[in-house]
């Protein structure tokens, strides 16, 4: 089926883009997102967020997907496989995990960029330290959290270079704090990187 065809391509693109190996996984396919969440909740005894497009459980090497249009499948599979790859070592800050999954998986869509620009204009961006362990339960605030995390990761990888970016990720996966990993890999305090990113958004909409 389409999922079977998408998995090898998604795996190859992620392993090349992240430099991490993805182990063998089990995929559960459901007809709808609601059925997907019900199945995952039953199997893992945890209620997934209502906005979940797909679900990944790194410890059990399992992902859950709903049936989606063909053009949406590869980005969704890549997103969930990134969570599997990143979940094999130390736990990353949630905003880093989700930011990488969006930026390198399903990419920054115009909807996410619109959300980001609106949040920047309204002053509703969230400090990354507040997104370390959880995202807001509100759908609107969660959308902002996803958009800004992905954009920051995308900008970091673009401005710092892939090699230093991968060094940063590996430092985090080895257990370093964001602050220590940033000083080691980027030769700059994290608060400086975050401030520069915020300043860039203040100069006008990003596209």
């Amino acid at each position: 089926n389409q999922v079977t065809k998408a998995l090898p391509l998604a795996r190859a693109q992620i392993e090349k883009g992240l430099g991490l190996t993805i182990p063998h996984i089990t995929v559960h396919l459901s007809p709808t997102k609601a059925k997907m969440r019900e199945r995952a909740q039953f199997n893992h005894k945890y209620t997934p967020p209502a906005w979940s497009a797909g679900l990944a459980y790194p410890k059990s090497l399992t992902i859950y997907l709903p049936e989606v249009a063909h053009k949406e499948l590869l980005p969704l599979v890549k997103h969930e496989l990134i969570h599997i790859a990143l979940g094999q070592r130390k736990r990353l800050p949630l905003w880093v995990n989700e930011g990488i999954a969006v930026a390198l998986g399903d990419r920054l869509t115009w909807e996410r960029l619109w959300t980001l620009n609106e949040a920047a204009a309204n002053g509703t961006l969230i400090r990354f330290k507040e997104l370390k362990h959880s995202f807001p339960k509100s759908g609107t605030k969660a959308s902002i959290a996803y958009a800004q995390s992905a954009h920051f990761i995308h900008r970091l990888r673009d401005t710092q270079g892939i090699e230093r970016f991968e060094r940063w990720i590996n430092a985090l996966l080895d257990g370093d704090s964001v602050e220590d990993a940033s000083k080691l890999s980027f030769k700059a305090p994290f608060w400086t990187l975050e401030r520069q990113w915020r300043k860039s958004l203040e100069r006008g909409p990003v596209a």
Side-chain angles (χ1 to χ4, degrees):
N1 59 25
Q2 290 184 350
V3 175
T4 304
K5 293 179 181 178
L7 275 171
L9 179 58
R11 183 189 299 272
Q13 290 181 0
I14 292 165
E15 290 183 345
K16 181 180 179 181
L18 270 181
L20 298 175
T21 301
I22 303 171
H24 179 75
I25 62 164
T26 299
V27 180
H28 294 284
L29 187 64
S30 299
T32 65
K33 291 178 182 179
K35 292 292 184 182
M36 173 196 73
R37 289 191 289 268
E38 286 178 11
R39 189 172 188 179
Q41 182 175 351
F42 177 81
N43 288 344
H44 299 274
K45 313 305 179 188
Y46 168 77
T47 304
W51 60 82
S52 302
L55 296 163
Y57 295 84
K59 289 184 179 180
S60 61
L61 299 178
T62 306
I63 66 173
Y64 294 79
L65 303 171
E67 291 184 7
V68 296
H70 178 69
K71 65 178 182 179
E72 299 174 18
L73 181 60
L74 181 60
L76 181 58
V77 172
K78 287 173 65 177
H79 183 112
E80 303 309 331
L81 285 184
I82 287 172
H83 285 315
I84 295 292
L86 295 175
Q88 299 309 303
R89 286 156 68 187
K90 293 287 186 179
R91 185 176 180 181
L92 294 176
L94 183 59
W95 70 266
V96 176
N97 198 315
E98 292 293 354
I100 293 173
V102 173
L104 276 67
D106 36 354
R107 303 293 180 180
L108 276 163
T109 61
W110 72 264
E111 291 95 341
R112 292 197 192 279
L113 290 173
W114 186 87
T115 297
L116 177 69
N117 288 323
E118 185 180 48
N122 294 338
T124 53
L125 292 172
I126 308 166
R127 293 291 300 275
F128 285 117
K129 67 180 182 181
E130 297 174 19
L131 300 173
K132 183 176 181 179
H133 300 296
S134 64
F135 274 11
K137 296 187 184 299
S138 159
T140 300
K141 290 185 177 179
S143 295
I144 294 172
Y146 276 100
Q148 70 174 70
S149 299
H151 188 265
F152 182 81
I153 289 293
H154 173 79
R155 185 177 186 273
L156 203 59
R157 191 169 184 262
D158 190 48
T159 58
Q160 299 292 334
I162 295 176
E163 185 177 332
R164 289 204 288 178
F165 177 78
E166 288 185 358
R167 191 183 308 145
W168 182 69
I169 294 301
N170 277 287
L172 293 174
L173 289 171
D174 285 339
D176 286 2
S177 67
V178 170
E179 291 75 14
D180 289 343
S182 298
K183 290 178 183 177
L184 173 68
S185 306
F186 305 136
K187 311 303 180 186
F190 180 74
W191 67 265
T192 300
L193 299 169
E194 184 175 2
R195 184 181 65 179
Q196 290 173 345
W197 169 76
R198 288 175 178 269
K199 290 290 185 183
S200 72
L201 294 177
E202 292 173 4
R203 289 194 286 270
V206 294

